Amino acid sequence: MARLGPGRLAGKTAIVTGGARGIGRHYSQALAAEGARVMIADIADGKTLAEEIAGRHGAEAIASVKFDVSDEKAVKNLVAQTIEHFGQIDVLVNNAAVYSTLTPRSFNEWDTDLWDKVMAVNVRGSYLMVRHVAPHMVERRSGKIINIASGAPYKGVPRMLPYVTSKGAILAFTRALSRELGQYGIAVNSLSPGYILSDTGLQNATHVEEERVPVRNSRAFKRDAYPEDLLGALVFLASSDSDFVTGQSLVVDGGAVNN
Ligand SMILES: NC(=O)c1ccc[n+]([C@@H]2O[C@H](COP(=O)([O-])OP(=O)(O)OC[C@H]3O[C@@H](n4cnc5c(N)ncnc54)[C@H](O)[C@@H]3O)[C@@H](O)[C@H]2O)c1
């Protein structure tokens, strides 16, 4: 039965990759505010955010680990630490990605090392997380996996080819994985944000210049979007409110693409 109202994630434990900054920071805060215990897992240091969340929701609500999602040993270690600290994993948010640091460029100007890095973090990283988290969910016959994709593969956004390709892979990964994990009661969905003005995004002047106005004009709701716009959809996918939803991509972009 769906449990409505605040504290919809009470008693649950979530891992948010890339949860220390950018949009992920808001995901970590929102899940904790709904009563979840949250492991912030990021290549950046999540200690300051963890202290802030602990101040609001109690020290037992939060932990952080610095790790590289593309490194299998580091992923194994993160998962072991999460189980040791919280005893279980109910929700996995695959949010870490190489995105805001990328400078848009033409299709033939992408260095192959950078192409490989985008794929290693955005695609292999999501796979490695599932590879090591899903067995715990299978054992308990429940879990929610939320893969952060993007509106970009729907639109075919130009000048960000490896990124858009990686997020297209995440949509396919979500569909295929949902069919393997459904038998264990595990939901696998993706959340596809439109262009979001996050703190990290605003640091990339080229993105802001190339995206902000055209994206706003492409929306049914003609306004800028902020991390807060994504939180209702995230909590929905993480909570029992979405218990019969799997293999889907929820596009949250003010109506720019029709999914
Ligand atoms: N900002 C947008 O407009 C937008 C739109 C659609 C989708 N998205 C997606 O939403 C997610 C968050 O976006 P954002 O704007 O905060 O991006 P971002 O690039 O600012 O942040 C990504 C996060 O991942 C972390 N990270 C990067 N490499 C890592 C690694 N190797 N190991 C572990 N952590 C790593 C970063 O430290 C950061 O916390 C990404 O998956 C992005 O693709 C963003």
Side-chain angles (χ1 to χ4, degrees), residues 6 12 14 27-28 49 57 60 68 110 115 126 130 133-135 164 175 192 215 222 231-232 246 250 253:
K12 306 286 185 191
Y27 292 157
S28 300
L49 175 62
H57 304 291
E60 62 293 342
D68 178 349
W110 293 94
W115 179 282
S126 296
V130 165
V133 168
V164 179
R175 290 193 186 114
S192 289
V215 165
K222 302 216 180 295
L231 304 181
T246 195
L250 182 47
D253 73 343

Side-chain angles (χ1 to χ4, degrees), residues 146-201:
I146 305 166
N147 298 315
I148 304 301
S150 168
Y154 291 94
K155 286 180 154 180
V157 168
R159 294 174 48 75
M160 286 286 277
L161 200 54
Y163 174 75
V164 179
T165 305
S166 75
K167 292 298 176 172
I170 291 301
L171 294 174
F173 173 70
T174 298
R175 290 193 186 114
L177 186 63
S178 70
R179 295 199 181 268
E180 293 200 37
L181 294 182
Q183 63 188 308
Y184 306 111
I186 301 168
V188 187
N189 292 293
S190 49
L191 171 58
S192 289
Y195 179 59
I196 302 290
L197 297 179
S198 63
D199 51 357
T200 48

Side-chain angles (χ1 to χ4, degrees), residues 17-24 27 41-44 67-70 94-101 117 121-122 148-152 163 167 191-201:
T17 69
R21 56 185 182 186
I23 300 172
Y27 292 157
D42 202 310
I43 204 160
F67 88 129
D68 178 349
V69 76
S70 66
N94 269 324
N95 166 78
V98 177
Y99 168 65
S100 64
T101 51
K117 186 178 177 200
V121 175
N122 300 14
I148 304 301
S150 168
Y163 174 75
K167 292 298 176 172
L191 171 58
S192 289
Y195 179 59
I196 302 290
L197 297 179
S198 63
D199 51 357
T200 48

Side-chain angles (χ1 to χ4, degrees), residues 18 22 34-35 51 81 95 99 104 106 129 175 186 219 229 234:
E34 282 290 344
E51 279 165 18
Q81 279 185 258
N95 166 78
Y99 168 65
S106 148
M129 288 302 301
R175 290 193 186 114
I186 301 168
R219 291 181 172 145
D229 288 308
L234 179 87

